[in-house]
Every structure is written in C-alpha cells, then in structure tokens.
Amino acid sequence: MNDTDTPGFDYARYDRIRPIRWTGEALELLDQRKLPFVVEYATCRSSDEVAAAIHALTVRGAPAIGIAAAWGVVLAARGIEAGDGEEAAEKLEPAMQHLNAARPTAVNLAWALLRMRVTLKSSGADWRARLIQEAEAIASEDLAANRRMGSLGAALIAPGSGVLTHCNTGSLATAGFGTALGVIRAGVAQDRIGKVYAGETRPWLQGARLTVWELQQDDIAATLIADSAAAHLMKSGAVQWVVVGADRICANGDTANKIGTYQLAIAARHHGVRFMVVAPSSTVDMATPDGHAIEIEERESAEMFGIGGVRTVAEGITAWNPVFDVTPADLIDAIVTEKGVIEHPDPARMRAAFGT
Ligand code: MRU
C-alpha cells in the first residue's frame, strides 16, 4: 500500500478503467463519445490529432486533458530536430499553443503544457527522454493525488450518507480512480456512503453515459436522476453531500465546473446539504483572482438539438450552450486537494494552502 492509498479499498479489483494509454509509438484514448455501448480506443499519432481529440471530447475531464496534452507534446517532438531543450521549446511552441487552444476552461491543460515547457528549458541533449519522463510523471502524480483525495474526502462523510454527483469525474476523467468519484469509491468501500445518485449532465450526458457505467464496472450501484430532479432529491433528505470535481479553482475559492454545478450548490445550501469540490492542486489557479475572470467554454448549439444522433428539437430553433459555470466560494463547504482539505474556502485559506 502507498501512503496515498485509502484503507479498505481494493485497488487491484476495482478502478481498472484507463482512458489514456501510451504505447511508445502513439497515444490511445478511450473514445468517450462512444461509451457506454462501444468500448474502443482512438489512436493519435500527432499532436494535432491529440488537440482535435481534446476538442471533440474523445478525451475529457480536466486532469485527463492535461495528461493527453503532455503526450501530445511528446508526439510533436517527433517532427523536430534540436540540439538542446531550449531550442526544442522554441520549435515546439506552435504545437503547444495549438494544444492549449483545444479547450479554454480547464486549467490543467495549460498547467501540463507549462510543465512540459519548463522541463524542456532545463534539459540539454537529453530533452526527448526528459519529455517522456515528464508526461509519465504528470500521469502518475495525478493517480496518486486522486487516491489521497479519496481518503481525505471520504473522511468528511458520516457513515450511511447519500451523495449526489454531477458530470463524470472518475477514472475516465483522470489518470485513474477519479476526483469526486474517487471520494465516492473510497466512501463506498468504507461504508460511509450508502447511496450514490448521479445527475444525467445534459447536454453531453457525462453522468448518464459515463459515470453510472464506470461505477457499474466497480459493482457500485448508482441511481441516475434527471438533472432537473436534483432539488427534489435534496428535499427528500436522501443526500447529505453533493460531491463534484472542478475545471479551475480561483484564488478566492470560486470554482468552475460542468454546467449545472452552480444550481446544485444553490439547491444544496437551501436544503442543508453539504457541498464538496474535489480536485488535484493542478486544477488550482492562483493567478485567476475570482470566477469572473474565467473563460467559460461555449460549444455548438447542435449538441442540444438531439440525443444519440436523433434530432429532438424542431429545425430553426436557437440554443445557447455554455458548458461550465462558476460556483461562488461561499456556497462550497470543502475543497479537497491532495494537499489537504480547505473548509469554507476564502482568499486567506487558499493562500495558506497554495501560496500566491
Ligand atoms: O466537458 P467535460 O466533460 O470535460 O467536463 C468535465 C467536468 O466538468 C469535470 O467535472 C471536471 O473536469 C473534473 S474531472 C475530474
């Protein structure tokens, strides 16, 4: 057992899904547009293919897109010659900027690319090997962080609780184990969580297509609800915690996450349900003062016009499709990172945990 591991969790038996595989030649991504009925890896052989896969949500979830982008840099390096890391960094900058532009809200993307850039700048002739080591480190550190957060987050939950989660924050969205879903895995293993509810997460259905399927692989029974059933569920007394992930956590604790998270936080406060955000420190962005400064990704209206390729909306309708929202810090009871738990986040507590 590693010191990040959750007591009572059988890692060998559970948590076997891995969305990102590096073969030594190419990057394989478990195609999340096709799950749950088709389990198939898409192969990327260039950084442009990785950028396109991130944009298309073939790979998704803040930590996973950071890891995929790091491997994208390794693939881009195949196409250049450079005597040292400084020269390689200059030549790879266009590819890194292209990867960075694939999705705007999750800070893990820019964070992983910065790590690759810093690695290059401190490398000599060995820069190719150092890039590969750094991409491996980004992935293995993410897995360790998730296991640690599983322990820390589960410890906040009283035995026998019900929890509601949103979007997909599991192995599919990370190097493995998951963030909010990692807390749920650990909480179920320790009998702290008696019942798990997952919201569908319109329009892309990460909850319905991914989360309940992923939990089913681990024999964890989850009950799917329509997003619009959340407040009614809370009123019934069936859930004591809402547990979600994050795409960017600002210096004051404001948190961007999948669209619909904000309304869950408002409903949770109204009903006395506690609200937990679980994310690795790679999701913390101390350079962004508060949620107003976060760019919220808006995607094509077409994502709202049908389900599974079947059109459900009349022709000629206008739709607005922001895919993230910001939950203000004062609606968050706890932010859990691998560095510890921040209760009732505010600028001073964030600074104490993460510096400036
Ligand atoms: O659009 P997605 O599916 O990439 O959005 C994912 C989320 O909002 C997750 O909650 C977040 O990235 C955390 S994943 C561990």
Side-chain angles (χ1 to χ4, degrees), residues 32 57 59-65 103 106 108 146 166-170 173-174 178-181 201 204 206 210 244-247 256-259 261 278-280 283 297 299 323-324:
Q32 303 198 26
L57 309 187
V59 60
R60 46 142 302 279
I65 63 179
R103 293 194 78 186
N108 305 63
N146 292 340
H166 189 56
C167 195
N168 172 270
T169 60
T174 63
T179 59
L181 224 53
T201 320
W204 215 68
Q206 287 93 331
L210 306 177
V244 298
D247 286 81
N257 191 50
K258 179 52 54 190
I259 192 76
T261 304
V278 189
T283 306
E297 179 181 1
R299 294 181 67 87
V323 299
F324 298 99

Side-chain angles (χ1 to χ4, degrees), residues 244-257 261 265 275-279 283-292 294 325-337 342-351 353-355:
V244 298
D247 286 81
R248 192 181 293 251
I249 302 174
C250 302
N252 71 342
D254 288 357
T255 295
N257 191 50
T261 304
F275 193 89
M276 186 191 307
V277 171
V278 189
T283 306
V284 175
D285 175 12
M286 295 300 284
T288 297
D290 59 45
H292 295 106
I294 299 177
D325 58 26
V326 175
T327 299
D330 61 5
L331 292 180
I332 299 172
D333 290 292
I335 294 178
V336 177
T337 77
I342 302 164
E343 292 196 70
H344 307 295
D346 63 17
R349 288 175 182 193
M350 291 294 292
R351 249 192 331 273
F354 302 107

Side-chain angles (χ1 to χ4, degrees), residues 118-168:
V118 168
T119 299
L120 280 171
K121 293 197 169 161
S122 67
S123 302
D126 61 343
W127 63 271
R128 281 182 203 280
R130 295 271 314 274
L131 273 188
I132 293 172
Q133 282 163 11
E134 194 64 11
E136 280 166 350
I138 288 170
S140 61
E141 288 168 25
D142 185 62
L143 181 58
N146 292 340
R147 290 182 176 185
R148 175 84 187 125
M149 293 187 295
S151 273
L152 292 171
L156 301 175
I157 298 173
S161 296
V163 299
L164 170 64
T165 191
H166 189 56
C167 195
N168 172 270

